[in-house]
């Protein structure tokens, strides 16, 4: 599994992400630390520090480093923060969240990806709670969460995520059509009588693989 990627290539990627507007030093440092080449296979390993999405199996992708950095910055995690990720994919985003000190729960619907991600994260000693299921339902038994990050494009914001979020919690989710989505950063606050208020900030267009499930694309 060992493959040495010169730190120079990683530094160049971090510089590019800074120039593109990523400011959070902790996020940049987590991206520098996580060995992205371990989350892709064969010929794609040498492209691990390019700012590109790369294919993984089952026609899915590991997101572009800029997208991972931007979503992670929006998510605003803190050490000990309880994060639910929907769409484990390769496990890379989960590893970045672990480097930031979060307790990470992640759901993947495709069994083969779930098993590969489990193997990779175990080998790299990232302790992530994984489950193979339809993540549009959330993870009710383990709720509430401080943060929820959805790494596949959804037609809407599923109610389950708001229900499974703590007061003051945030969801970062791409919402739109199957071809293009806006990144929504949704903050939930509860009033004195537990009435729920939602604030949504929308960010420019992104392109994710579809979120498929009960509350996603059919
Ligand atoms: N976070 C991943 C990483 O770091 O490699 C990239 C995720 S990839 C862009 C989106 C993933 O969401 C795919 O692996 C896909 O199978 C998964 N997915 C789609 N719909 C899902 C659902 N309802 N529940 C869980 N995972 C889902």
């Amino acid at each position: 599994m060992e493959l040495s990627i010169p730190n120079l290539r990683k530094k160049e990627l971090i510089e590019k992400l800074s120039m593109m507007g990523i400011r959070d030093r902790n996020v940049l440092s987590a991206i520098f630390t996580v060995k992205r080449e371990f989350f892709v296979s064969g010929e794609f390993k040498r492209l691990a520090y390019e700012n590109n999405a790369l294919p993984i199996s089952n026609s899915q992708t590991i997101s572009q480093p800029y997208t991972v950095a931007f979503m992670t910055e929006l998510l605003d995690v803190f050490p000990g923060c309880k994060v639910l990720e929907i769409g484990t994919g390769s496990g890379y985003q989960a590893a970045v969240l672990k480097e930031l000190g979060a307790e990470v729960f992640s759901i993947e619907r495709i069994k083969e990806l779930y098993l590969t991600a489990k193997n990779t994260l175990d080998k790299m000693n990232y302790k992530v709670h994984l489950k193979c299921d339809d993540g549009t339902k959330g993870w009710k038994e383990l709720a509430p969460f401080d943060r929820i990050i959805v790494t596949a494009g959804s037609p809407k914001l599923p109610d389950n995520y708001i229900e499974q979020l703590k007061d003051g919690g945030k969801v970062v989710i791409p919402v739109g059509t199957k071809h293009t989505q806006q990144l929504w950063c949704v903050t939930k606050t509860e009033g004195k009588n537990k009435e729920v208020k939602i604030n949504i900030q929308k960010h420019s267009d992104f392109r994710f693989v579809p979120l498929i499930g009960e509350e996603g694309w059919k």
Side-chain angles (χ1 to χ4, degrees), residues 130-149:
L130 296 171
K131 156 159 119 152
C132 186
D133 202 349
D134 171 9
T136 64
K137 297 181 287 183
W139 199 331
K140 205 171 175 186
E141 304 83 339
L142 299 177
F145 299 95
D146 294 294
R147 303 285 187 263
I148 299 180
I149 177 171

Side-chain angles (χ1 to χ4, degrees), residues 39-209:
F39 296 86
V40 289
S41 59
E43 58 180 307
F44 298 114
K45 287 186 184 291
R46 70 186 170 80
L47 302 175
Y49 295 92
E50 301 290 318
N51 186 28
N52 290 325
L54 293 171
I56 51 176
S57 68
N58 297 77
S59 309
Q60 302 301 316
T61 52
I62 174 171
S63 303
Q64 186 191 27
Y66 172 73
T67 305
V68 173
F70 188 68
M71 291 180 86
T72 309
E73 195 170 61
L74 282 180
L75 200 64
D76 185 26
V77 303
F78 51 88
C81 169
K82 196 173 161 189
V83 182
L84 174 65
E85 180 196 22
I86 312 300
T88 315
S90 66
Y92 175 73
Q93 172 76 71
V96 169
L97 293 167
K98 284 300 294 180
E99 287 291 344
L100 288 165
E103 189 184 1
V104 185
F105 302 81
S106 184
I107 308 177
E108 171 57 54
R109 63 179 279 274
I110 299 175
K111 182 87 178 274
E112 190 184 330
L113 291 178
Y114 156 79
L115 290 172
T116 307
K118 183 172 177 4
N119 187 34
T120 309
L121 291 165
D122 283 351
K123 272 192 187 153
M124 297 179 81
N125 217 15
Y126 287 116
K127 301 204 183 332
V128 177
H129 311 269
L130 296 171
K131 156 159 119 152
C132 186
D133 202 349
D134 171 9
T136 64
K137 297 181 287 183
W139 199 331
K140 205 171 175 186
E141 304 83 339
L142 299 177
F145 299 95
D146 294 294
R147 303 285 187 263
I148 299 180
I149 177 171
V150 184
T151 65
S154 177
K156 63 175 186 184
L157 171 66
D159 292 342
N160 295 321
Y161 298 161
I162 297 300
E163 282 159 20
Q164 294 179 25
L165 206 57
K166 292 184 189 172
D167 182 15
K170 289 184 187 176
V171 185
V172 173
I173 178 171
V175 178
T177 67
K178 269 193 182 166
H179 305 289
T180 176
Q181 304 89 29
Q182 282 184 318
L183 214 41
W184 288 17
C185 181
V186 183
T187 307
K188 168 182 173 177
T189 45
E190 287 175 5
K192 273 192 202 135
N193 303 318
K194 293 272 172 200
E195 73 277 13
V196 170
K197 286 189 197 146
I198 297 294
N199 176 274
I200 304 178
Q201 283 178 352
K202 298 177 183 177
H203 299 269
S204 57
D205 292 349
F206 287 82
R207 190 168 185 173
F208 286 81
V209 294

